[in-house]
Amino acid sequence: MDLLPGETVVKEGKAAILFPSANEVFYNPVQEFNRDLTCAVITEYARELLSQKGVRLVVPGEKERVVVSLSEESQEMEEVQEGEQKQGLEAPVAVVGEPCEQGLRVLEGLAASGLRSVRFALEVPGLKSVTANDCSARAAALIARNAQYNGISHLLKASQRDASILMYEARGRKDRYDVIDLDPYGSPAPFVDAAVQAVSDGGLLCVTCTDMAVMAGNCGETCYNKYGSVSIKAKYCHEMALRIILHSLDQRAGVYQRYIEPLLSISADFYIRVFVRVRTGQAKAKHSASKQALVYNCVGCGSFHLQRMGKRICQGKNSTVRCNTPSLLQFRSALLHAGYRVSLSHACKNAVKTDAPPSAIWDIMRCWEKNHPVKREKLSETSPAFQILSTEPNLQACFTVRQDANPQSRRRQLVRFQENPHANWGPKARARAGGAPPDLDDRRKQLQNKRKKPTADTSNLKNFPCKKFRQGLCSQGEDCCYSHEPQQEKDTGATME
């Protein structure tokens, strides 16, 4: 295909996407890791479903598949690998770029340029069809061009519809999509209801939220209007934002006797990405009430308290004793020695997730402080640190490093936190229907000397007498804009000087 005037080609993954010179169709390079992760999740989801139908997936470049168990139990890893080996090489094969009759039907509701859908068609095997939808006519035309440019028009179809209407029309059991991807500019709240109904039983729902400021505590009332929860400002705001969107999805699913199974969630400074499976089951849908809780956050030490509908209390904490900090392996080992579960967090490299209550965590810190004492004379008697250290620990912590305190991902030196390629790496401006605004330097040139108040026209001021000349105070002479000529009064005809 020949490029149109002003078009450029952007390459990401295995896709090459055409973009107009003006910012008529939204494109966010920051979400590249988001799209990489989505392709990987859908590939594994397709592998799971098609293996039940006797279809084997062939992923380009995959020589040896490494399965990492989230529970860190080697027995589960061996069972998964043995099951794949027993599948055999005689089964039907699903390859990338070719429609699979028993494959997945994928919908990208807010496709913009169609980059995500093009990557699905080029990188994910086992797809029956991919529908890339956008309400913009220019975006839909660009999606069709990108499908043709990448040679996947037989697999990817462009659609120009309202996303909610398109999904509501697919509520029938035979019309539902196996995978629905929502990546809006801002909140996905207007599309969640339709998406929950349009995804098949056991289907995969991929949702992105880019209104992190709302979900992280800056606008609690707005968060309640969109997601049915009030966000608060805390150090764990990113983790709480994940809970808020999962709670919102579960609430909408519960209305239709469906429930969600969270598979994977990731939170960055400016967006949230969650992957959930939506299943039908009235009994489990009623259990969603037990997942709701009220959060009480302490402004003193930062600990928070969860009240689960008056039935169960879960608590967490934040590190205010002001003593030397134990290493991450020592702290994780102490929790494991005490009989609690613990894992690392994707939100903060120095944070951990654990089911240990604050009482146990503070006991561990009290034991650590006994070996690394702080200067008590510098602590105020009313400070949280003084009150915490004044209590004797009920738990005797052991800080001997355990082998299982170092997770598999860390031992294999896998990347947990993605690095920004350059400074000021963040979301870009919303797409403008009239094209991209001019550069800042061009705007300055256009507005140069135009912001001052315009000078009034003085050509007709010579018809009016100069008051200062009549009083003998005008020093402008002939340069004065007012008249120095004698004026005749209309009524008396007398001469005025």
Side-chain angles (χ1 to χ4, degrees):
M1 289 177 58
D2 296 330
L3 300 183
L4 298 178
E7 277 189 338
T8 57
V9 179
V10 176
K11 294 185 178 180
E12 183 179 299
K14 295 185 178 180
I17 304 299
L18 304 176
F19 278 99
S21 58
N23 192 24
E24 299 173 349
V25 178
F26 184 76
Y27 166 66
N28 191 359
V30 178
Q31 300 282 39
E32 181 177 357
F33 175 69
N34 185 326
R35 291 183 281 267
D36 293 342
L37 185 64
T38 305
C39 290
V41 171
I42 296 180
T43 299
E44 292 304 310
Y45 175 68
R47 193 195 306 269
E48 176 187 345
L49 292 189
L50 294 184
S51 64
Q52 301 173 3
K53 302 177 181 179
V55 180
R56 182 170 60 90
L57 263 65
V58 176
V59 181
E62 187 181 79
K63 298 180 180 179
E64 181 180 358
R65 182 166 175 246
V66 178
V67 180
V68 179
S69 174
L70 298 180
S71 61
E72 300 185 1
E73 296 180 2
S74 58
Q75 182 178 358
E76 293 186 5
M77 295 174 56
E78 295 176 356
E79 291 178 356
V80 173
Q81 292 175 345
E82 291 176 0
E84 292 181 351
Q85 294 176 357
K86 291 180 180 179
Q87 189 175 356
L89 301 177
E90 301 296 330
V93 175
V95 298
V96 170
E98 294 298 331
C100 177
E101 186 62 27
Q102 298 177 315
L104 307 180
R105 296 178 63 244
V106 182
L107 169 65
E108 185 184 7
L110 310 164
S113 64
L115 170 59
R116 191 181 296 262
S117 294
V118 172
R119 291 195 58 181
F120 292 166
L122 293 176
E123 301 177 25
V124 180
L127 302 182
K128 183 177 182 179
S129 64
V130 180
T131 302
N133 176 77
D134 199 283
C135 63
S136 170
R138 295 181 179 178
L142 185 60
I143 293 171
R145 280 180 52 79
N146 283 324
Q148 183 180 0
Y149 186 77
N150 287 271
I152 52 174
S153 298
H154 60 288
L155 186 61
L156 191 155
K157 303 299 181 183
S159 171
Q160 183 191 351
R161 299 284 304 279
D162 179 272
S164 296
I165 295 177
L166 177 62
M167 290 186 288
Y168 277 130
E169 291 178 352
R171 288 178 295 177
R173 290 186 177 272
K174 296 183 180 180
D175 299 326
R176 294 176 182 173
Y177 293 93
D178 299 300
V179 179
I180 294 181
D181 189 293
L182 296 178
D183 187 9
Y185 190 92
S187 172
F191 312 99
V192 167
D193 185 89
V196 168
Q197 298 187 62
V199 70
S200 62
D201 188 15
L204 182 65
L205 185 59
C206 316
V207 181
T208 299
C209 307
T210 55
D211 54 341
M212 179 59 74
V214 173
M215 306 180 71
N218 290 340
C219 305
E221 65 281 0
T222 305
C223 184
Y224 181 80
N225 290 335
K226 292 182 177 180
Y227 303 104
S229 302
V230 178
S231 58
I232 59 177
K233 286 189 176 181
K235 293 182 179 179
Y236 50 84
C237 59
H238 295 86
E239 187 67 23
M240 186 174 185
L242 291 175
R243 301 294 192 267
I244 289 176
I245 183 59
L246 291 175
H247 165 78
S248 178
L249 293 174
D250 199 36
Q251 286 293 94
R252 296 313 308 163
V255 173
Y256 304 102
Q257 283 74 48
R258 312 187 82 185
Y259 65 98
I260 65 170
E261 292 180 350
L263 297 179
L264 181 64
S265 59
I266 185 170
S267 176
D269 291 336
F270 47 88
Y271 79 94
I272 285 178
R273 184 67 166 172
V274 296
F275 301 87
V276 299
R277 295 188 72 169
V278 181
R279 298 187 180 274
T280 302
Q282 185 175 2
K284 289 191 176 181
K286 291 181 179 179
H287 294 166
S288 62
S290 62
K291 303 177 184 179
Q292 302 180 32
L294 299 177
V295 182
Y296 301 91
N297 185 67
C298 178
V299 297
C301 67
S303 296
F304 64 90
H305 171 82
L306 298 179
Q307 182 181 0
R308 289 186 177 273
M309 302 297 291
K311 181 180 179 180
R312 182 181 176 187
I313 296 178
C314 296
Q315 297 176 330
K317 76 96 187 161
N318 277 311
S319 296
T320 57
V321 180
R322 300 184 181 180
C323 67
N324 293 335
T325 305
S327 67
L328 194 59
L329 287 179
Q330 289 176 315
F331 186 72
R332 285 170 56 89
S333 299
L335 289 171
L336 292 173
H337 281 302
Y340 298 104
R341 295 183 299 173
V342 62
S343 65
L344 297 176
S345 170
H346 285 79
C348 179
K349 63 180 180 180
N350 296 325
V352 296
K353 295 182 181 180
T354 179
D355 58 353
S359 58
I361 294 176
W362 285 123
D363 281 347
I364 293 175
M365 293 308 300
R366 292 186 186 104
C367 294
W368 177 264
E369 191 271 339
K370 288 182 180 296
N371 298 326
H372 305 80
V374 299
K375 296 182 179 179
R376 302 293 182 93
E377 60 273 10
K378 291 187 177 182
L379 298 178
S380 172
E381 294 184 358
T382 59
S383 65
F386 184 86
Q387 299 295 330
I388 291 172
L389 297 178
S390 299
T391 304
E392 287 296 322
N394 296 322
L395 170 68
Q396 296 302 321
C398 176
F399 294 96
T400 303
V401 176
R402 295 174 43 149
Q403 184 178 1
D404 55 351
N406 198 19
Q408 297 179 17
S409 59
R410 197 176 182 187
R411 291 198 298 266
R412 296 178 56 205
Q413 297 181 353
L414 299 180
V415 177
R416 182 177 293 270
F417 302 94
Q418 299 298 314
E419 297 182 359
N420 295 336
H422 55 75
N424 301 321
W425 184 253
K428 306 304 179 183
R430 182 193 296 267
R432 296 167 61 95
D439 294 338
L440 184 59
D441 293 339
D442 296 339
R443 292 188 62 187
R444 288 173 177 171
K445 293 179 181 179
Q446 294 176 3
L447 299 176
Q448 188 175 9
N449 298 327
K450 294 184 179 180
R451 293 182 176 177
K452 298 179 181 179
K453 293 183 179 179
T455 305
D457 185 13
T458 60
S459 59
N460 60 341
L461 296 182
K462 283 292 185 180
N463 298 328
F464 299 91
C466 178
K467 295 182 180 179
K468 291 185 178 181
F469 176 77
R470 185 175 58 184
Q471 299 172 358
L473 301 176
C474 183
S475 59
Q476 300 294 327
E478 295 181 356
D479 295 334
C480 182
C481 59
Y482 294 98
S483 174
H484 287 185
E485 298 295 331
Q487 300 292 326
Q488 299 291 332
E489 292 186 357
K490 294 182 180 179
D491 296 336
T492 61
T495 301
M496 272 193 346
E497 295 184 356

